[in-house]
Amino acid sequence: MKIVDATWEKRNLGVLAKEVTLDIGDTVSDLEQLNRLNSEYTVIRVPAGSVELMFKLEDMGYRFIETIINIQHNHKDIGSTLDRITKRIADSITYFEMNETELSELWQELRGGIFYTDRISLDPAFSVDKAAERYIGWMSDLLSQGGKVLGCIFKDDIFGYFTSKIDAGNVNRVDNIGIYKNYENAGLGVALVNASIRYAQNEGAKMTVSSISSNNMPALKANLAAGYSVTSAQYIYIRHTSGED
Amino acid sequence: MNLEKYNNAFTTSLDITDDLLGEQLVYQSIQAWDSVGHMTLIAAIEDAFDIMMDTEDIIDLSSYEKGKEIMKKYEIEM
């Protein structure tokens, strides 16, 4: 079991938060440690299939909110999985690194509510607005740590963006991809994912990894259509407490 | 005849019944019409009418009714 003091959530969500990752070897008795956490918002990541741990967490007042599906693209035959229509769209899409002005416009898009399926947007204790501020905080941290935010252009207009962080082992991580409000009904999801993979390959990354929520099936389908494979999954449980419980 | 082909493209690619065809059928109004389903739908329309749609029209086709308007550009009347 790994327990992390999620200090960034105080800034993002205004709560004292802890993030706990359970291992396959963790037992029901190990979960007793969770009763001693000083936390207002606790997130538990449970390996898929760990039914005993799931039942115990439910007994302890934790609630299931989503499954996180981890995916990977090996950068081989990029585009070969695309259907002919997506390929035509993908061929006309370009990307660029966003500057301060374009990032400000992106923050406005996020505040307009382009995400509503993540666990913060869906949680009645939080909101879509809080989720937007969390994404902005998240991306600001990413930029300060050497990550990048790339805008995507179709017919001279920015329609979406993706993030990229390539580690020392040349593995690219995409933490966030989004489509602007004006283009959300345009079917550009698969082409956008394809652009993020092309970018990573051009930057020398050997593979790209990402994670998708089970509450966002269209995103999972788009990533699989762009050539990703599923590698693992984790159940996510949450609990809100006063901080002294 | 053209309307029948157009309707078939929707029902077969999105796996829906005829009663769902109409004004209420818009992008993401049903689970099957997401970004992946959209490309399947466009391919079905292109195949049905033997046309190649402009990329702008592909992203503009956000509803069943809007698609009918776009088809006029390709000289296909419903």
Side-chain angles (χ1 to χ4, degrees):
Chain A
M1 179 187 304
K2 184 179 163 193
I3 301 173
V4 174
D5 207 1
T7 51
W8 56 90
E9 299 296 28
K10 186 72 181 172
R11 175 200 62 190
N12 294 337
L13 303 171
V15 293
L16 203 61
K18 292 272 195 303
E19 290 193 0
V20 181
T21 303
L22 302 182
D23 298 317
I24 291 283
D26 286 326
T27 63
V28 167
S29 58
D30 291 328
L31 298 183
E32 295 302 326
Q33 296 177 57
L34 301 178
N35 291 325
R36 297 188 291 278
L37 291 180
N38 178 25
S39 174
E40 294 169 303
Y41 175 57
T42 306
V43 179
I44 315 273
R45 300 174 191 278
V46 184
S50 304
V51 177
E52 278 192 6
L53 297 177
M54 293 162 64
F55 286 3
K56 179 64 178 175
L57 286 169
E58 286 165 16
D59 290 344
M60 294 169 75
Y62 287 88
R63 291 187 163 185
F64 174 77
I65 194 158
E66 65 180 352
T67 298
I68 287 294
I69 300 155
N70 300 306
I71 56 175
Q72 175 181 307
H73 195 297
N74 63 12
H75 290 186
K76 289 188 181 121
D77 303 322
I78 293 177
S80 66
T81 60
L82 302 182
D83 63 87
R84 71 172 199 264
I85 310 293
T86 304
K87 191 150 188 358
R88 257 159 42 209
I89 301 267
D91 287 345
S92 58
I93 284 176
T94 55
Y95 50 75
F96 65 98
E97 196 171 335
M98 286 182 150
N99 62 25
E100 290 290 329
T101 306
E102 289 142 358
L103 285 170
S104 295
E105 288 165 4
L106 170 56
W107 300 165
Q108 288 310 307
E109 283 285 335
L110 288 164
R111 289 188 176 114
I114 60 174
F115 290 116
Y116 35 81
T117 62
D118 58 278
R119 69 176 152 82
I120 304 302
S121 298
L122 293 172
D123 189 334
F126 297 129
S127 62
V128 170
D129 291 345
K130 283 222 168 176
E133 294 306 322
R134 184 167 176 264
Y135 282 119
I136 293 166
W138 199 1
M139 277 189 265
S140 300
D141 288 345
L142 179 84
L143 289 165
S144 68
Q145 293 160 9
K148 292 184 174 166
V149 179
L150 291 302
C152 271
I153 294 178
F154 177 76
K155 302 278 181 191
D156 300 326
D157 203 14
I158 302 173
F159 73 90
Y161 71 95
F162 59 85
T163 64
S164 168
K165 178 88 188 289
I166 300 174
D167 68 17
N170 264 347
V171 175
N172 177 49
R173 173 148 195 97
V174 175
D175 275 323
N176 198 226
I177 286 191
I179 291 179
Y180 284 14
K181 204 88 178 167
N182 283 347
Y183 287 91
E184 66 181 1
N185 294 331
L188 289 165
V190 184
L192 178 60
V193 173
N194 173 262
S196 71
I197 298 163
R198 280 189 283 131
Y199 165 77
Q201 188 186 45
N202 289 338
E203 290 295 304
K206 64 183 180 188
M207 71 165 73
T208 293
V209 295
S210 190
S211 302
I212 310 286
S213 169
S214 56
N215 295 326
N216 192 355
M217 277 296 139
L220 179 63
K221 285 168 67 183
N223 277 274
L224 295 178
Y228 273 96
S229 303
V230 173
T231 54
S232 62
Q234 293 166 306
Y235 304 131
I236 307 299
Y237 282 80
I238 60 163
R239 194 171 78 157
H240 293 276
T241 50
S242 66
E244 294 166 0
D245 292 356
Chain B
M1 183 63 179
N2 281 343
L3 182 61
E4 192 180 334
K5 280 192 201 174
Y6 183 73
N7 286 347
N8 278 342
F10 275 82
T11 54
T12 55
S13 63
L14 301 178
D15 194 22
I16 56 174
T17 50
D18 286 348
D19 58 309
L20 286 177
L21 300 173
E23 282 179 9
Q24 75 286 354
L25 184 58
V26 300
Y27 188 89
Q28 288 190 342
S29 64
I30 55 169
Q31 276 196 337
W33 197 351
D34 55 16
S35 65
V36 176
H38 189 66
M39 298 306 156
T40 310
L41 170 64
I42 299 294
I45 291 171
E46 285 194 345
D47 290 344
F49 296 107
D50 195 22
I51 55 173
M52 182 182 279
M53 292 171 66
D54 293 341
T55 51
E56 282 176 24
D57 293 328
I58 292 170
I59 69 162
D60 275 348
L61 204 157
S62 56
S63 72
Y64 172 81
E65 293 298 337
K66 179 76 179 174
K68 285 182 181 175
E69 280 176 38
I70 291 171
M71 288 299 101
K72 289 177 188 167
K73 185 176 160 185
Y74 298 89
E75 298 178 348
I76 297 162
E77 294 291 337
M78 300 292 165

